[in-house]
Amino acid sequence: MDLPRSFTIRESGHRIHNPFTSEKLATLGRALGLAPGTSVLDLACGSGEMLCTWARDHRVTGTGVDISTEFLTAAHARATELGVTDRVAFRHGDATGHVADEPVGVAACLGATWIGDGAAGTVELLRRSLAPGGIMLIGEPYWRREPRDQATVEGCYATTKDDYRPLPELLELFGRLGCGVVEMVLADQDSWDRYVAAQWLNTRRWLDAHPDDEMADEMREDLATGPVRHVRYQREYLGWGVFALMNR
């Protein structure tokens, strides 16, 4: 049970596995006004950057769950580096259906709402772990601009236009789910660049070190087409943000 190898190759040097910079992640933590001791559950936590930095900066405690053994190794190393191993823990497993042992003050899924078969299902999953008055964090893509054709849709890693919603419609969905949106921090084109362009460098370095690997041809093709695809489609049409929700 693990992520596809191509994904971990592209993001092998990433601490944050979505189009957020460390500055935006810090902005989100400050915006929430987290009290020391707040418990956090982070589903599909990746390399644990949110939990580790918030444990350092806001003295939260928490648990991260992720399917990637490689990313969890990085999460444990980051917790040690920041001196927060007494406040955070990481579990290897499929976050789909995972519910905290005890209710938490913050339940999060940033950029992996496939664990709930979409945003609506992920909200319902996070609710099962949330303490009364707690906050859910959902990281989700949305259309910045109406896609002009099917090539644009596919260039943004979607199958149909309906795979994503415009930002107003995404917030309306949260409302229909019985949630109030109480905060949001949105990625911008620069943070998209930092996320995606770093994948190109990771891939190139991996190819230089593993030119005869069975995945080398696939990764060469990915590197050859990825930069133009990003600037033509993803950078222009696709937004991404983290939305803080509370039950109404």
Side-chain angles (χ1 to χ4, degrees):
M1 181 170 58
D2 214 320
L3 286 174
R5 189 165 170 236
S6 58
F7 187 88
T8 57
I9 289 170
R10 291 186 198 99
E11 303 205 4
S12 58
H14 286 54
R15 284 182 174 168
I16 301 172
H17 301 282
N18 56 59
F20 248 22
T21 60
S22 57
E23 292 80 11
K24 286 187 179 291
L25 189 61
T27 294
L28 178 63
R30 291 192 299 269
L32 296 177
L34 299 168
T38 298
S39 56
V40 180
L41 173 67
D42 189 6
L43 297 183
C45 67
S47 297
E49 188 72 0
M50 183 178 78
L51 278 176
C52 291
T53 57
W54 287 7
R56 177 195 64 191
D57 298 340
H58 305 287
R59 302 193 66 79
V60 304
T61 63
T63 299
V65 180
D66 201 272
I67 200 170
S68 170
T69 53
E70 182 172 331
F71 292 165
L72 289 179
T73 296
H76 286 293
R78 185 65 163 153
T80 299
E81 177 187 359
L82 298 185
V84 295
T85 55
D86 59 332
R87 294 198 287 278
V88 299
F90 297 99
R91 298 181 185 178
H92 178 240
D94 187 350
T96 303
H98 183 93
V99 177
D101 297 332
E102 300 289 339
V104 298
V106 176
C109 177
L110 273 55
T113 55
W114 50 264
I115 69 170
D117 197 27
T122 301
V123 167
E124 295 305 320
L125 175 60
L126 295 179
R127 274 187 169 132
R128 296 170 59 191
S129 295
L130 199 65
I135 292 175
M136 292 174 280
L137 299 177
I138 295 280
E140 187 73 349
Y142 59 88
W143 291 120
R144 291 182 63 242
R145 297 167 55 189
E146 181 80 6
R148 64 182 182 231
D149 52 27
Q150 184 62 22
T152 302
V153 170
E154 294 175 5
C156 293
Y157 299 94
T159 303
T160 74
K161 185 178 74 170
D162 294 338
D163 287 350
Y164 309 134
R165 297 172 174 84
L167 184 56
E169 292 182 13
L170 180 58
L171 270 58
E172 288 171 350
L173 170 67
F174 294 142
R176 291 195 299 273
L177 296 172
C179 299
V181 180
V182 296
E183 254 295 354
M184 69 178 188
V185 178
L186 304 182
D188 54 28
Q189 288 176 305
D190 181 67
S191 48
W192 264 118
D193 293 344
R194 301 279 50 75
Y195 173 55
V196 178
Q199 296 176 4
W200 310 333
L201 185 57
N202 292 337
T203 300
R204 176 54 191 267
R205 286 174 171 166
W206 181 87
L207 283 168
D208 287 347
H210 305 88
D212 300 320
D213 189 274
E214 62 182 5
M215 291 198 65
D217 287 345
E218 176 185 340
M219 301 311 296
R220 287 190 189 98
E221 176 65 17
D222 188 66
L223 185 58
T225 59
V228 171
R229 178 176 181 152
H230 171 62
V231 299
R232 178 171 288 156
Y233 299 122
Q234 193 173 17
R235 190 180 196 273
E236 296 301 314
Y237 288 88
L238 196 60
W240 194 89
V242 178
F243 305 91
L245 314 175
M246 296 182 72
N247 289 319
R248 286 176 174 163

